[in-house]
């Protein structure tokens, strides 16, 4: 007979407030197979664990039920304790009488009874538990970093400096992300390019970093420690090994009227182009959609001038496979567009503000380009419509952000700061101009941040108006901005030469496709979700995948970089071991009864099941059956639920265990099918017929 | 009818003579009243035993998964449209290889039950003229334009309160003698070892006690969710006349509502419970 120990925890008062723990222990002691049952104030404490360990030795226990909090909280603790007392860790189970009982019920008789039932279930299960050994899997000590913005760059450099290979995948032709577009950065006003480009160069030349630009992750298989990634290298139409980056091709390309993504449409580029002079790699790419050869079949001007014959019109998309152990996701953000039909169909735009219709209404990133020395105006603030210096500029904060009626509730966090920065950059260049800012609240709670905003107001004379703008319309040479100053209660009307909208920070459009491939979760806006908002902020619920930068939510550069280094250190921790232990809760197929219907093969979300031939010694096929790869199986149980021939069992959660749990309840409860009460008119003859 | 019989014999004879198939599964005249029985014809000269009439009720596909037919290199099978639906199920579930069967389809105006009445499946048939076959005999027969009519019977269940429904099924399932004829007749009950025969643990109590009867009949129905092609073989086989098709059709109606899927239509489309897709509807998860 089994010798099970039951240990009932009071959890201070968390459990004992509504559950009579002493009675639970006493009743548990009566269950067949229970050799010892005890209660204690804090079972997870040192003396509590000692109590369990001693009981295991004294009573030679072959199973333990800790009746306490959720396994999520303390299963590891107790499994470790029983192991120290010589018991296999998988012979220890937890009955959750806190979340499932004491916290959700009043102090009443049935509450204690429910706690007893929960213990009974677990006792029946533990009786049928088997000693299992964790599965050991080798760790591939290479990392994949997806996204080459400042976060991805930092994570890649840290892991590479830690001595491990990094695969960096960037969808655009160059790394750099949004930071490369910025002019100067708050709160210190140092030049963005000057601090970023050295890092970009490092990423391009680091011996441990393999850079795939103009590439995307196509497919991901496997699990922590052993991911297999398929990367799609989009056809660049330029052989980047032959190309020297001389730029001759750009000069000759006749297709010149394509709005530059890097300059956010304020300047045009050619069809063959290097996105910006400091690009890494500084190699061009042909935009096939606008290339005259690709659209009309004739041109090849670039090929003719290329001194190294690097232009290759025949190039096709290429797929490469890489094996990695950990993944850092750093896909960053994009800006909500305010014209009517933006890339975020779920959210309403701000048609009323005229973005996309009037050239002098621009967004924050466009202003960054105007202010940037590498920008379309060489850093001179000129309004897009006619190149005149704007004498007054109105900045509007919270465009999209904190606007539930437009579909977005969150605060984009960086706009208060960059708008203050914009007013300063403007003032430093247009000394007689006036900057007006419409804001809701000023949120500047970073190191040196509030001082920065005060400087904009006090030293650089930005006029801050608390209120919203109702309408912007053109009147001759000016834009009329109508709004309210809620502090003075007055309606205001400002004649502006240019309007800058601080639009909401949103995830990259369509990024959920990547998140689904990775099997990580995301919130309603499609920002990636962390495993725990406080205690595991850079990890995903999926083991081995870490988050860095603005793909998780609005972040500024210091935060993005800090998180990137944190993600890198998580990856390095993973790589510090040669092998990893995995829970042995995996599916097993009964080959005798499997009928090869392949339902399991089709439905396994982790493609852990394959088809196996069973042959006799002569090699003749006898039958085919399903086979589970234990290192891919996550123990989700989908197959076991789907297999109607009941040929799949989950180690640790076998049918037999579950059945006995249910059965133990039935034994105490009523018979679900008692003989029917005889209803009137229900004559015995009728029944016999 | 006799015309179709002649043609069936002719095709079967040819297939057997030229070695296209090892045997042909078909119907022959039975020994009890006008009933027809299944027959396995192996020699060309025996092809004349085959026939087709409105008493050819059996769904012969169920033999494809059994010995000796299962082991044959290639077998011919005579089939009505409804029988072919179950073949499609077997193909989807990799139980039969398409290259190993020759389907001799026969058009059909509907069959009759033992009591002479026309089954619901025939009243609402949408495959009187089969479309999936290797060879077909018989003139084209028009189908019922409203196949949903087969769900009409469920209205009486819908109208019941849960308590009434419970006692309705108690009464019906009380009759079950656990002979498992339904399972044996079903072309899609494909397990080699049925859950009803597993005893570690014993999910289904074996004695004909209400508890075991409920488990058995519900497990059988659930295992056919999204798979049952409504051929009525189980109900026809049941010796105590339990209205099993009410259960099956209720499931079929639910599957159709939830997944817009009907079993036995297209061998290339996966049954809904057989797929895992990231964009599966998750709205039912709280
Ligand atoms: C107008 C404006 C001004 C700002 N000013 C400042 C400032 O002064 N100071 C400051 O601290 N912060 C500032 N910020 C914030 C700063 O831009 C961000 O904090 C920073 O860019 C976040 O870096 P990231 O790497 O997370 O994202 P990103 O810079 O967005 O980089 C993400 C990268 O991932 C790539 N990518 C996306 N999807 C994929 C995919 N599926 N596969 C492969 N690659 C992919 C993108 O192409 C991009 O290169 C400003 C932001 C804005 C909008
Ligand atoms: S679902 Fe079950 S019977 Fe079908 S292949 Fe998988 S293990 Fe075998
Ligand atoms: S439990 Fe089954 S379905 Fe889930 S991962 Fe393992 S093999 Fe796949």
């Amino acid at each position: 007979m089994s010798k099970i120990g039951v240990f009932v925890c009071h959890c201070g008062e968390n459990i004992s407030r509504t559950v009579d723990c002493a009675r639970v222990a006493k009743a548990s002691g009566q269950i067949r197979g229970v050799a010892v049952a005890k209660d204690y104030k804090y079972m997870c404490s040192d003396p509590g664990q000692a109590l369990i360990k001693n009981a295991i030795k004294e009573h030679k226990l072959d199973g333990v039920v800790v009746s306490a909090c959720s396994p999520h909280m303390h299963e590891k603790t107790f499994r470790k304790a029983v192991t120290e007392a010589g018991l296999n860790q998988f012979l220890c189970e937890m009955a959750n009488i806190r979340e499932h009982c004491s916290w959700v019920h009043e102090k009443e008789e049935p509450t204690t009874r429910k706690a007893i039932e929960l213990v009974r279930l677990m006792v029946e299960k533990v009786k049928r538990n088997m000693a299992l050994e964790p599965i050991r899997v080798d760790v591939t000590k290479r990392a994949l970093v997806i996204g080459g913005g400042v976060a991805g760059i930092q994570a890649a450099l840290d892991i590479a400096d830690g001595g491990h290979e990094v695969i960096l995948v960037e969808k655009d032709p160059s790394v750099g992300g949004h930071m490369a577009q910025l002019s100067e950065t708050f709160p210190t006003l140092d030049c963005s390019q000057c601090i970023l480009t050295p890092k970009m160069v490092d990423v391009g030349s680091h011996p441990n970093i393999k850079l795939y630009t103009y590439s995307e992750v196509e497919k991901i298989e496997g699990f922590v420690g052993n991911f297999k990634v398929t990367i799609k290298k989009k056809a660049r139409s330029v052989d980047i090994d032959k190309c020297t980056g001389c730029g001759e091709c750009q000069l000759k390309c006749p297709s010149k009227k394509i709005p530059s993504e890097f300059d956010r449409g304020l300047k045009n580029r050619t069809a063959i182009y290097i996105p910006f002079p400091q690009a890494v790699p500084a190699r061009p790419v042909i935009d096939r959609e606008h290339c005259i050869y690709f659209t009309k079949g004739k041109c090849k001007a670039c090929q003719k001038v290329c001194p190294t014959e690097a232009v290759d019109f025949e190039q096709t998309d290429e797929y490469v496979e890489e094996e990695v152990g950990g993944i850092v996701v750093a896909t960053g953000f994009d800006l909500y567009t305010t014209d009517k039909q933006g890339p975020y169909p779920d959210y309403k735009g701000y048609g009323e503000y005229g973005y996309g219709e009037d050239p002098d209404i621009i967004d924050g990133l466009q202003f960054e380009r105007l202010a940037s020395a590498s920008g379309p105006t060489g850093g001179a603030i000129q309004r897009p419509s006619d190149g005149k210096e704007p004498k007054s500029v109105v900045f509007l904060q919270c465009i999209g952000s904190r606007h539930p009626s437009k579909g977005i509730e969150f605060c984009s966090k960086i706009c208060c700061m960059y708008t203050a920065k914009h007013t300063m950059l403007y003032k430093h260049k247009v000394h007689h101009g006036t900057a007006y800012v419409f804001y809701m609240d000023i949120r500047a709670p970073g190191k040196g941040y509030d001082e920065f905003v005060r400087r904009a107001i006090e030293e650089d004379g930005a006029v801050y108006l608390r209120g919203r703008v109702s309408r912007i319309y053109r009147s001759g040479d000016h834009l009329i901005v109508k709004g309210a100053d809620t502090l003075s209660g007055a309606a205001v009307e400002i004649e502006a030469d240019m309007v800058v909208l601080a639009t909401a920070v949103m995830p990259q459009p369509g990024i959920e496709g990547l998140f689904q491939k990775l099997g990580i979760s995301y919130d309603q806006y499609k920002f990636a979700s962390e495993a725990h908002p406080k205690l595991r902020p850079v990890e995903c619920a999926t083991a081995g995948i870490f988050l860095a930068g603005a793909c998780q939510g609005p972040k500024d550069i210091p935060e993005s970089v800090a998180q990137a280094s944190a993600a890198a250190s998580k990856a390095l921790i993973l790589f510090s071991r040669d092998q990893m232990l995995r829970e042995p809760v995996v599916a097993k197929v009964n080959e005798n009864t499997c009928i090869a219907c392949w339902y399991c093969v089709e439905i396994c979300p982790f493609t852990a099941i394959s088809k196996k031939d069973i042959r006799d010694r002569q090699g003749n096929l006898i039958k085919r059956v399903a086979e589970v790869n234990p290192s891919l199986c996550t123990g989700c149980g989908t197959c076991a639920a789907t297999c109607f021939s009941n040929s799949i069992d989950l180690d640790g959660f076998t049918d037999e265990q579950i059945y006995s749990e249910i059965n133990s309840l039935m034994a105490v409860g009523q018979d679900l099918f008692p003989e029917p009460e005889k209803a009137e008119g229900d004559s015995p003859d009728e029944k016999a017929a | 009818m006799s015309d179709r019989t002649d043609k069936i014999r002719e095709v079967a004879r040819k297939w057997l003579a030229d070695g296209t198939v090892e045997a042909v599964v078909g119907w022959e005249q039975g020994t009890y009243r006008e009933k027809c029985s299944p027959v396995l014809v192996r020699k060309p000269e025996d092809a004349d035993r085959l026939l087709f009439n409105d008493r050819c009720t059996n769904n012969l596909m169920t033999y494809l998964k059994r010995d000796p037919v299962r082991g044959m290199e290639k077998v011919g099978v005579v089939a009505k449209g409804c029988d072919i639906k179950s073949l499609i199920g077997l193909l989807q579930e990799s139980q039969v290889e398409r290259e190993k069967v020759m389907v001799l389809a026969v058009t059909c105006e509907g069959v009759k039950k033992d009591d002479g009445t026309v089954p619901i499946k025939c009243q609402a048939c949408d495959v009187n003229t089969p479309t999936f076959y290797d060879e077909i005999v018989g003139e084209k027969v028009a189908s019922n334009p409203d196949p949903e009519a087969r769900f009409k019977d469920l209205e009486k269940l819908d109208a019941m309160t849960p308590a009434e429904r419970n006692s309705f099924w108690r009464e019906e399932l009380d009759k079950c003698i656990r002979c498992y004829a339904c399972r044996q007749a079903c072309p899609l009950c494909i397990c080699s070892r049925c859950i009803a025969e597993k005893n570690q643990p014993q999910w289904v109590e074996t004695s004909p006690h209400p508890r075991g009867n409920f488990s058995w009949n519900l497990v059988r129905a659930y295992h056919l969710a999204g798979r049952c092609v409504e051929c009525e073989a189980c109900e026809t086989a049941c010796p105590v006349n339990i209205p099993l098709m009410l259960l099956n059709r209720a499931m079929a109606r639910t599957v159709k509502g939830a997944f817009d899927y009907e079993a036995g239509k297209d061998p290339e489309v996966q049954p809904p419970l057989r797929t895992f897709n990231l964009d599966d509807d998750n709205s039912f998860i709280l």
Side-chain angles (χ1 to χ4, degrees), chain A residues 136-153:
Chain A
R136 287 177 185 278
V137 278
D138 289 340
V139 176
T140 308
K141 301 186 179 186
R142 294 174 97 210
L144 167 72
V145 176
I146 311 174
V150 65
I153 290 175

Side-chain angles (χ1 to χ4, degrees), chain A residues 240-289:
Chain A
I240 60 169
D241 295 328
K242 284 192 195 157
C243 172
T244 57
C246 70
E248 280 296 317
C249 50
Q250 294 193 94
L251 298 175
K252 287 283 159 9
C253 177
S255 174
K256 294 184 191 300
K257 294 247 165 70
I258 309 154
S260 151
E261 292 83 358
F262 182 74
D263 282 317
R264 225 168 150 74
L266 295 177
K267 197 177 159 188
N268 288 336
R269 62 161 170 83
T270 44
I272 187 165
Y273 70 108
I274 300 176
F276 51 101
Q278 300 76 12
V280 170
R283 298 288 179 268
V285 50
I286 295 183
D287 165 3
R288 293 189 173 186
E289 220 177 288

Side-chain angles (χ1 to χ4, degrees), chain A residues 516-517 590 592-599 602-605 611 623 638 642-647 649 655-656 658-659 662-663 666 671-676 682 687 689, chain B residues 70 92-95 166 170-171 174-175 188 190-195 198 200-205 209-211 214 223 225-227 270-276 278-279:
Chain A
Q516 288 166 1
K517 282 180 201 162
N590 178 342
N592 290 323
T593 57
C594 169
I595 49 167
C597 65
W598 313 136
Y599 265 71
E602 298 289 340
I603 52 93
C604 174
K611 304 173 183 176
K623 72 183 285 197
T638 310
T642 304
C643 176
F644 40 76
S645 79
N646 252 36
S647 303
D649 241 345
D655 262 22
E656 221 186 328
I658 307 291
Y659 184 83
I662 300 172
N663 217 29
M666 305 290 279
D671 186 354
L672 281 185
F673 295 98
E675 282 305 314
D682 202 7
K687 278 207 97 184
Chain B
R70 194 184 169 97
Q92 285 169 316
E93 300 183 349
S94 318
Q95 298 302 300
N166 189 21
R170 279 196 73 116
E171 293 254 328
D174 226 15
K175 302 190 289 197
L188 287 161
I190 53 179
C191 296
S192 53
R193 176 122 171 256
C194 176
I195 185 169
K198 293 203 170 177
Q200 245 184 345
Q202 188 146 46
W203 286 110
V204 181
E205 228 173 77
H209 173 277
R211 182 144 126 185
F214 260 86
H223 280 185
R227 305 174 61 234
Q270 293 276 14
L273 299 187
R274 194 181 206 230
T275 57
F276 170 80
L278 281 170
D279 1 286

Side-chain angles (χ1 to χ4, degrees), chain A residues 329-364:
Chain A
V329 182
T331 50
F333 70 101
D334 207 348
L335 285 186
Y336 170 88
T337 54
T338 46
D339 41 356
K340 282 164 204 146
Q341 191 53 54
Y344 303 102
D346 293 348
Y347 305 101
K348 294 200 192 84
Y350 282 79
E352 64 266 39
Y353 289 170
Y355 179 84
E357 284 163 22
D358 194 306
D360 291 338
I361 303 176
I362 60 173
D363 70 10

Side-chain angles (χ1 to χ4, degrees), chain B residues 77-93:
Chain B
V77 58
V78 192
K80 311 182 288 294
C82 48
D83 308 335
I84 292 171
K85 286 190 180 177
S86 26
L87 175 65
I88 289 175
L90 292 169
L91 291 170
Q92 285 169 316
E93 300 183 349

Side-chain angles (χ1 to χ4, degrees), chain A residues 505-543:
Chain A
V505 171
M506 292 292 283
Q508 293 271 342
I511 198 66
E512 65 274 21
L514 174 70
F515 294 167
Q516 288 166 1
K517 282 180 201 162
L518 288 161
I520 64 176
S521 45
Y522 43 88
D523 67 15
Q524 68 192 102
Y525 304 106
K526 322 253 162 39
F527 283 120
S529 304
E530 59 284 344
H532 189 287
K534 282 156 269 177
L535 300 179
R536 294 174 65 198
V538 308
E539 289 141 290
C540 288
T542 307

Side-chain angles (χ1 to χ4, degrees), chain B residues 6-190:
Chain B
D6 292 343
K7 293 239 174 71
I8 289 171
R9 291 175 180 171
E10 195 182 305
V11 177
R13 199 176 303 117
K14 186 178 86 208
W15 282 357
L16 288 164
D18 66 13
T20 307
V21 297
E22 263 180 68
V24 174
V25 191
W27 300 278
E28 68 173 347
Q29 190 51 56
T31 48
Y32 178 67
R33 302 211 187 133
E34 302 106 75
K35 275 187 83 138
C36 296
S37 339
V39 61
L40 183 66
V41 175
R42 291 172 189 264
K43 295 189 219 126
E45 54 271 30
D46 288 341
D48 285 344
R49 287 170 68 177
L50 298 169
L51 58 70
F52 182 72
N53 61 34
D54 62 6
R55 289 310 177 94
C56 293
T57 47
N58 296 57
N59 183 345
L60 304 175
M61 295 305 167
T62 188
Y63 295 102
L64 295 185
K65 51 178 199 172
R66 299 234 173 86
D67 289 333
V69 177
R70 194 184 169 97
M72 288 181 180
E73 261 320 300
K74 198 154 188 167
V75 69
V77 58
V78 192
K80 311 182 288 294
C82 48
D83 308 335
I84 292 171
K85 286 190 180 177
S86 26
L87 175 65
I88 289 175
L90 292 169
L91 291 170
Q92 285 169 316
E93 300 183 349
S94 318
Q95 298 302 300
V96 169
E97 287 166 61
R98 182 67 185 94
E99 314 78 67
K100 290 192 168 185
V101 242
M102 289 291 282
V103 182
L104 175 45
V106 47
T107 62
C108 169
E109 287 87 0
V111 293
K112 290 209 182 77
K113 299 209 244 185
D114 284 356
D115 61 8
T117 59
V118 178
I120 293 179
K121 70 161 175 178
C122 299
Q123 293 171 28
C125 182
D126 59 350
V127 284
N128 303 66
T129 307
T131 52
F132 185 91
Y133 51 77
D134 296 294
E135 204 142 326
I136 185 163
V137 304
E139 299 281 305
K140 199 169 158 69
V141 178
S143 287
N144 185 330
D146 177 25
E148 307 272 305
R150 66 193 199 279
F151 295 138
K152 199 129 186 64
D153 238 22
L154 294 175
E155 286 166 12
K156 71 174 188 223
L157 279 183
D158 296 340
M160 294 180 192
T161 64
E164 285 166 348
R165 212 156 34 233
N166 189 21
S167 59
F168 170 79
W169 283 114
R170 279 196 73 116
E171 293 254 328
E172 289 296 345
L173 298 183
D174 226 15
K175 302 190 289 197
C176 178
I177 54 172
R178 308 298 286 286
C179 66
Y180 301 128
C182 48
R183 175 183 83 189
Q184 299 311 103
C186 175
L188 287 161
C189 260
I190 53 179

